[in-house]
């Protein structure tokens, strides 16, 4: 990433980069370029979910005589999942805020809380899937269920990956403190986490709410 | 033991498939042993590892892409010749139906994904950082990962030929034909996994180069001073970022259908195959622009350089590139006008398709106006550019014919279509990439490719092209459908097919001349000592050839669009030479073996899924996670090149 630094040197080799007026994660141009790259990655991930949503919308009524959305979805269950995930996004935001305030202890604490909330979200989701499967609503049963499990499951595996990733960053902050590099990592993993939250809001609306209402 | 060994060979090495396969088995084995022996004999393993497999230098990565693309052009071309041989006369028995199916599938897939894509990525890598005055791409480590994902994806695809069996459902791989119920062999799995792995690499390349272009241009190079090739890369990257996720999803869902038993695209239990076809072409149509737009960029550079004139209508060229990248996203349904979507939908997509012709036409006219009254030099890059113009104009015209939805009911999936897309893909992409290869070859290797052999290649390839594909337009109108492995004599298609096959062989000879040209030029090619063999206009020509690994000893400040040209005109080229007092330590990324190992891990996982060997699959995926995590914990991945070293290199090049 050195490279960016090189590009920012003027003809006389002076670095026109580091800007201490900016938030910690943006001060070093090398790090801020990585943040831009991550935004673009999120755009591709958004499109990926977009395609899965489109598939779900096409197939949601193709139940082939099997269980329908209305029969399957359990309102307290997905409401709890939603509540937990939204809260975790908030605590993730608090971690970023603590990072900006250079408060390492708080960063560690809020990341831990976020990870725990994430784990309980995944736990609830696994429980939901398990219950569906016991009732014979497997992803092999109908096109609707294939699309449902794939869309929601893709989100769930993104969350699981996010947990592993966040944990690895927690270790790095614990070991190295808050530097421009670890700050950027905290910032990016939280971007990812908020993104998953946004996707979940769509899942909540398009899959669950439409499912029980329509 | 021998019994189980024989069974293994029968299942996986396909000894029963006839001599073609086992001759290939033996040849591949011999070649591999040969390569290993040569490397060992010359003690080159360390060199290979240190200089190439672990490199993060964009120029070397570009060269590796280039070599891969040329090899794949050979493989895809050989497939093409096999098909044309089979079709040379009615009732041929050179290939049977199953082999024909496999060969058109591997031909199409390889040409688009493992020839055209790495070819454009080769030029992205070799040219973009040099053109914008940068020392590397934004994410060098990710760049290496992209390459190795492409490489191992291509390897996975290619080994299917001798290990397990090739895919045979066409490069579009439509379900339900490609569903487990109709296609249980490993071939289809190879297709899905190979494309998935290399596709992830392509998305990463798209992100990487978009950020590179947006963030790493030299001081003073505003977007409207950026060279047109770089603009074309920017446009292609936007399309990659928007299109490839659709492919990822299409492939993943089909894979779930095949491996897990879901019902996305089956006919039973509510699945809908049209959903795959939509997702496939939401990627597929932009994909053809992804590969052709960089060729447009090459033509813009070549025309300006060899006509010694500023490109006509720079702003309109940029606008055309950007509008292509938007419109190409709204035309996908023209690939299935006949599938019953209804008149409104067809009308929308027909009109959108014709609309892409407008920016494309703007570009063609701008190239012509740039050439008009220029002092044109007919070197190889220019020759291919000029040959491109009529070829692409005819191809564009037949494309508009195909876009007329009602008429498409007549020639949908006929040889008319085959002729059309080869005309744009060969005339646009292959001609463009060859022009680019000739143009930047001296920059990569420090010598020019031999003109005389190149002209032979050019004429064989061009004449061969028209002889091969023009008859196919007629065959299409006469009712010959694509993907037919043979036809009866009384259809009256024999003569035209025979002519077409002759053309294909002429193109094959053209390719051999290119190989000869490269081999000959390595020894006898004209050395490039100036760094500027074509009298170029953009920044890369201000550097020595080949370029030192840090690119620019001192980052230039840009004031004009054709910076280097302006400096030459005004006799100020000294300004771009490094001065001793300006040289600072340069921060560079360290080499790493991990991108290569991550590619290996993906390959192992892919192989595991292909054959449903889940232990292998899990091991591979574990490897991927471990390499990712190790990277996350890596902090010491950069080093400084000291001024003494830079001064040493620059003085040796006579620049200091
Ligand atoms: C070297 C010259 C080439 C020859 C002689 C050739 C020949 C052929 C032939 C005979 C077919 C099969 C037609 C059929 O039976 O349906 C075919 C299909 C195809 N070719 Fe080529 N081709 C050449 C170059 C290329 C290039 C450069 C590209 C792309 C960059 C390409 C892309 C395709 C595709 C996508 C298909 C469709 C495969 C399918 O039906 O699934 N070809 N080609
Ligand atoms: Cu198209």
């Amino acid at each position: 990433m050195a490279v960016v630094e090189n590009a920012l040197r003027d003809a006389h080799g002076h670095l026109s980069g580091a800007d201490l007026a900016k938030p910690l994660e943006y001060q070093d141009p090398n790090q801020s370029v990585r943040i831009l790259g991550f935004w673009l990655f999120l755009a591709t991930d958004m499109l990926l979910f977009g395609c899965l949503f489109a598939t779900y919308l096409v197939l949601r009524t193709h139940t082939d005589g099997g269980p329908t959305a209305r029969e399957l979805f359990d309102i307290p269950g997905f409401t709890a999942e939603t509540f937990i995930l939204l809260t975790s996004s908030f605590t993730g935001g608090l971690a970023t805020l603590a990072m900006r305030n250079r408060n390492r202890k708080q960063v560690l604490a809020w990341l831990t809380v976020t990870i725990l909330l994430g784990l309980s979200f995944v736990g609830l989701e696994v429980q939901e899937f398990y219950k569906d499967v016991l009732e014979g609503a497997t992803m092999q049963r109908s096109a609707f269920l294939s699309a449902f499990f794939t869309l929601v499951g893709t989100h769930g595996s993104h969350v699981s990956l996010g947990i592993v990733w966040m944990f690895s960053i927690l270790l790095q902050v614990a070991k190295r403190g808050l530097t421009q590099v670890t700050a950027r990592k905290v910032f990016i993993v939280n971007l990812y986490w908020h993104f998953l939250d946004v996707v979940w809001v769509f899942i909540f609306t398009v899959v669950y709410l439409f499912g029980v209402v329509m | 033991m021998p019994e189980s060994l024989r069974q293994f060979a029968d299942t996986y090495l396909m000894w029963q498939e006839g001599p073609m396969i086992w001759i290939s088995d033996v040849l591949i084995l011999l070649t591999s042993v040969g390569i290993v022996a040569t490397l060992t004999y010359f003690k080159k393993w360390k060199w290979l590892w240190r200089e190439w497999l672990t490199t993060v230098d964009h120029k070397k990565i570009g060269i590796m892409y280039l070599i891969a693309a040329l090899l794949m052009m050979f493989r895809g071309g050989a497939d093409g010749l096999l098909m044309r041989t089979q079709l040379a006369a009615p009732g041929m028995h050179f290939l049977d139906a199953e082999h024909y199916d496999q060969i058109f599938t591997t031909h199409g897939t390889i040409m688009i994904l493992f020839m055209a894509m790495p070819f454009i990525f080769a030029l992205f890598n070799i040219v973009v950082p040099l053109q914008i005055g940068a020392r590397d791409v934004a994410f060098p480590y990710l760049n290496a990962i992209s390459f190795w994902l492409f490489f191992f994806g291509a390897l996975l695809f290619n080994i299917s030929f001798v290990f397990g069996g090739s895919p045979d459902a066409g490069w579009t791989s439509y379900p339900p034909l490609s569903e487990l119920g109709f296609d249980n062999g490993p071939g289809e799995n190879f297709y899905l996994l190979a494309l998935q792995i290399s596709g992830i690499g392509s998305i990463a390349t798209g992100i990487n180069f978009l950020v590179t272009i947006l963030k790493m241009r030299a001081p003073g190079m505003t977007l409207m001073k950026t060279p047109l090739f770089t603009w074309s890369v920017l446009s292609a990257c936007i399309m990659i970022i928007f299109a490839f996720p659709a492919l990822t999803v299409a492939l993943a869902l089909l894979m779930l259908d095949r491996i897990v038993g879901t019902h996305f695209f089956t006919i039973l239990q509510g699945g809908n195959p049209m959903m795959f076809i939509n997702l496939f072409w939401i990627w597929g149509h932009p994909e053809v622009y992804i590969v052709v737009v960089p060729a447009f960029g090459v033509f813009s550079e070549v025309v300006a350089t060899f006509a010694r004139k500023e490109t006509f209508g720079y702003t309109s060229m940029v606008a055309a590139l950007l509008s292509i990248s938007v419109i190409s996203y709204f035309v996908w349904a023209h690939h299935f006008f006949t599938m019953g979507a209804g008149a409104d939908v067809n009308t929308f997509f027909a009109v959108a398709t014709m609309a892409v012709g407008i920016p494309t036409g703007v570009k063609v006219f701008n190239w012509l106006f740039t050439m008009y009254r220029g002092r044109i030099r007919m070197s190889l890059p220019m020759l291919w550019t000029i040959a491109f113009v009529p070829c692409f104009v005819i191809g564009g015209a037949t494309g508009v014919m195909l876009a007329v939805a009602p008429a498409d009911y007549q020639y949908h999936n006929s040889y008319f279509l085959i002729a059309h897309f080869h005309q744009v893909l060969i005339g646009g992409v292959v001609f463009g990439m060859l022009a680019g290869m000739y143009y930047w070859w001296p920059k990569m290797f420090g010598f020019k490719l031999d003109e005389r052999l190149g002209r032979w290649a050019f004429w064989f390839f061009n004449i061969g092209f028209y002889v091969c594909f023009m008859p196919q337009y007629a065959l299409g109108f006469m009712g010959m459908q694509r993907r037919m492995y043979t036809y009866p004599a009384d259809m009256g298609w024999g003569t035209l097919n025979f002519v077409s096959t002759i053309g294909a062989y002429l193109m094959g000879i053209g390719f051999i001349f290119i190989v000869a040209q490269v081999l000959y030029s390595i020894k006898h090619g004209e050395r490039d000592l100036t760094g500027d063999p074509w009298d170029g206009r953009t920044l890369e020509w201000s550097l020595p050839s080949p370029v030192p690994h840090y690119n620019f000893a001192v980052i230039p400040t840009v004031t004009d669009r054709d910076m280097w040209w302006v400096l030459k005109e005004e006799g100020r080229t000294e300004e771009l030479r490094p001065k001793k007092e300006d040289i600072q330590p340069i921060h560079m990324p360290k080499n790493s073996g991990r991108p290569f190992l991550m590619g290996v891990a993906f390959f192992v996982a892919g192989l595991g899924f292909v054959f449903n060997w889940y232990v292998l699959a899990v091991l591979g995926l574990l490897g991927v996670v471990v390499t990712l995590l190790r990277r996350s914990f890596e902090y010491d991945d950069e080093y400084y090149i000291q001024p003494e070293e830079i001064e040493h290199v620059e003085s040796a090049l006579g620049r200091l």
Side-chain angles (χ1 to χ4, degrees), chain A residues 1-14 30 32-38 40-45 47-49 51-52 54-55 58-59 62-64 139-144 146-148 150 161 164-165 167-169 171-173 176 179 181-182 185, chain B residues 133-140 203 207 210-211 214-219 241-243 245-246 248-249 253 256-257 260-265 268-272 275 279 329 554-557 581-582 584-589 625 629 631-635 637-638 640:
Chain A
M1 277 312 313
V3 202
V4 181
E5 178 188 309
N6 292 327
L8 289 167
R9 281 178 196 280
D10 59 25
H12 307 288
H14 299 304
N30 290 322
S32 77
V33 160
R34 289 186 181 213
I35 295 174
L36 174 64
F38 195 76
L40 289 173
F41 163 76
L42 285 184
T44 64
D45 220 24
L47 289 159
L48 187 133
F49 276 108
C51 293
L52 290 176
T55 311
V58 168
L59 299 176
H62 296 209
T63 51
D64 188 39
M139 70 194 300
Q140 292 82 5
R141 175 61 190 87
S142 69
F144 154 64
S146 303
F148 166 73
T150 305
L161 194 93
V164 176
W165 184 16
F167 184 65
S168 93
I169 287 166
L171 293 182
Q172 293 172 45
V173 174
R176 294 170 185 272
T179 63
V181 177
T182 53
K185 291 189 178 198
Chain B
R135 290 204 168 114
D136 208 332
V137 297
F139 311 115
I203 294 182
I207 296 175
L210 190 54
V211 177
L214 291 179
K215 284 287 177 183
M216 303 194 29
R217 280 166 290 123
I241 290 173
F242 277 86
T248 308
V249 171
L253 299 187
L256 284 175
D257 271 9
V260 183
T262 52
H263 294 283
F264 285 103
F265 312 127
L268 296 175
Q269 279 162 301
N272 182 356
M275 200 56 214
L279 288 172
Y329 213 59
V554 175
I555 298 288
T557 304
E581 63 275 16
D582 285 345
Q584 304 267 334
I586 297 177
H587 211 176
M588 293 297 279
V625 174
L629 279 178
R631 170 64 178 175
S632 180
F633 283 92
E634 179 179 52
Y635 279 75
D637 62 340
E638 297 173 343
Y640 277 97

Side-chain angles (χ1 to χ4, degrees), chain B residues 378-419:
Chain B
M378 283 297 171
S379 301
L380 289 176
M382 192 61 186
L383 220 49
W384 287 94
T385 304
I386 289 183
F388 148 83
V389 174
C391 198
F392 204 76
V393 168
I394 304 173
T398 56
V400 174
M401 288 171 73
L402 284 162
V404 181
D408 190 50
Y409 276 79
Q410 178 60 32
Y411 32 66
H412 179 68
N413 274 353
S414 73
Y415 262 76
F416 186 86
L417 166 83
I418 300 281

Side-chain angles (χ1 to χ4, degrees), chain B residues 444-474:
Chain B
M444 288 181 254
F445 298 106
F447 63 88
K448 273 191 186 175
L449 286 172
D450 184 71
E451 285 269 338
R452 200 172 41 90
L453 286 168
R455 278 171 200 266
W456 282 99
F458 174 81
W459 287 111
F460 267 108
F461 211 89
N462 259 275
I463 296 172
F465 171 79
Y466 286 96
V467 177
C468 181
F469 290 103
M470 290 302 124
Q472 295 183 8
Y473 283 118

Side-chain angles (χ1 to χ4, degrees), chain B residues 76-77 80-81 83-84 87 100 104-105 107-109 111-112 115-116 169-172 415 418 421-422 425-426 429-430 461 468-469 472 481-484 504 507:
Chain B
L81 288 187
M83 283 186 287
R84 279 312 329 163
L87 294 172
Y100 189 84
F104 73 63
T105 303
H107 165 79
T109 313
M111 282 299 195
I112 305 256
M115 187 285 285
W171 85 282
T172 52
Y415 262 76
I418 300 281
F421 74 64
H422 281 93
L425 283 169
I426 295 182
V429 183
V430 177
F461 211 89
C468 181
F469 290 103
Q472 295 183 8
Q481 290 295 297
R482 76 193 285 196
R483 300 178 180 171
M484 288 175 83
M507 293 172 82

